[in-house]
Amino acid sequence: MVMGCLFCKIVALEIPADIVAESELSVAFNDISPQAPTHVLIVPKVHFQNAAELAYEQPDSIADLFQLAGEIAESRGLSGYRTVFNTGAEAGQSVFHAHLHLLGGRSLSWPPG
Ligand code: AMP
Ligand code: ZN
């Protein structure tokens, strides 16, 4: 756990979140500012700053995030969905604990803004 990390606190249940699914390695909860009818954040239980660091240090966790995303999408009957990692402030990362966004339930345009 990293001091001051919002998502570490959510994983530790120190800050409330709307948790929708969990696996051995990951926790999924609703984004507080949803950008689509389904907007879930899926985070590794162990702190890593971004997706690349996670992939190097705990590669099984990357697979686990996408498996959980697929399970949530299937359980909600989503016909399509988008999974996104923002890395770095320029790409819109605001919480520096790796997290996979799962967005769905509406039609999504491409390219993203
Ligand atoms: P990013 O900008 O890619 O780092 O994504 C961070 C996401 O965390 C944003 O979509 C925020 O809306 C979301 N967020 C911030 N605080 C909370 C919180 N307390 N509970 C759930 N989601 C949050
Ligand atoms: Zn953290």
Side-chain angles (χ1 to χ4, degrees):
M1 174 151 180
V2 166
M3 285 274 287
C5 174
L6 176 64
F7 289 174
C8 281
K9 288 180 183 163
I10 287 176
V11 169
L13 305 178
E14 285 178 13
I15 289 182
D18 195 4
I19 293 174
V20 297
E22 187 176 358
S23 68
E24 189 191 336
L25 296 174
S26 316
V27 177
F29 52 90
N30 284 327
D31 195 294
I32 205 166
S33 173
Q35 302 302 310
T38 286
H39 187 175
V40 172
L41 301 176
I42 311 168
V43 312
K45 290 182 179 176
V46 177
H47 181 97
F48 295 99
Q49 187 154 313
N50 58 48
E53 196 180 294
L54 180 63
Y56 277 113
E57 301 297 333
Q58 199 181 84
D60 288 357
S61 209
I62 290 278
D64 195 74
L65 296 176
F66 281 103
Q67 286 169 10
L68 206 49
E71 285 167 21
I72 294 165
E74 196 177 330
S75 74
R76 296 180 182 199
L78 299 181
S79 56
Y81 60 90
R82 185 168 293 165
T83 40
V84 178
F85 283 106
N86 295 323
T87 299
E90 192 176 15
Q93 188 177 8
S94 60
V95 178
F96 291 84
H97 176 132
H99 52 280
L100 182 63
H101 291 260
L102 166 63
L103 295 142
R106 67 170 170 84
S107 111
L108 298 163
S109 58
W110 191 262

